[in-house]
Amino acid sequence: MSQPIAFFDFDGTITTKDTLLEIFKYRHGKARFYLGFLLNSPFLVAYKAGIISNQLAKEMTLKLFFGGMKAEAFNAFCEQFAKEIIPSLVRSKALTEIDKLKKAGAEVVIVSASPENWLQPWCREHQVKLLGTQLEVNNGKITGKIKGNNCHGEEKVRRIREAYDLTAWKEVYCYGDTSGDKPMLALGTHSFYQPFR
């Protein structure tokens, strides 16, 4: 295709902070947020030491903060978070780049390890596509478990290739800010690491 396609990481690339941490604070307040992380510290230390996976550490944290919450209430809360908090976290340079690409006719896709629940409202507002981590719902409640794989590292590449035949595009733009984005950045004909800082 003559128009480009662009893949953006969200947390840290488009935003100044990790939305996963910010939604925990928004839900429980700073005191309970720090207490929660203190209780969860053995899992976080095990993840940093390479003993458990990124996915398992994330699931334990999600279970602690949101496990058992009704999915309908959780999604309404995510809509509220997306409306009230995410705009204040977005880097203006990132938004300018997205707007520029859209005006050039590009298809813009957010590819994120954060759950789709709170990114989808923002993506809908800005008319961009989303490939994100999906959360398991059981008996109408959030379990804290991830449905499939955490959309991180090589999983980002797998999800992109599953959704798009990249050979159809002459130009592929990729934007990321951590080592977990490097497999995705390798897909690009134009790749940018920490471009908006």
Side-chain angles (χ1 to χ4, degrees), residues 32-44 60 64-65:
R32 284 191 65 193
F33 166 76
Y34 289 117
L35 177 61
F37 266 88
L38 185 64
L39 293 171
N40 223 27
S41 60
F43 300 108
L44 299 175
M60 296 304 295
L64 179 68
F65 285 102

Side-chain angles (χ1 to χ4, degrees), residues 4-10 13-14 97 101 107-109 111 156-157 160-161 166 171-177 181-196:
I5 189 167
F7 300 102
F8 284 78
D9 167 62
F10 196 75
T13 301
I14 289 175
E97 183 77 356
L101 286 161
E107 180 156 356
V108 177
V109 187
V111 188
K156 288 191 174 189
V157 172
I160 288 169
R161 290 194 183 281
L166 295 184
E171 290 187 289
V172 178
Y173 288 76
C174 295
Y175 303 79
D177 78 309
D181 296 318
K182 288 186 176 178
M184 179 177 77
L185 293 174
L187 297 176
T189 56
H190 308 281
S191 295
F192 305 91
Y193 186 71
Q194 299 184 350
F196 309 120

Side-chain angles (χ1 to χ4, degrees), residues 48-59:
K48 289 293 184 184
I51 297 167
I52 64 172
S53 67
N54 171 289
Q55 177 154 336
L56 182 56
K58 191 171 190 174
E59 286 178 331

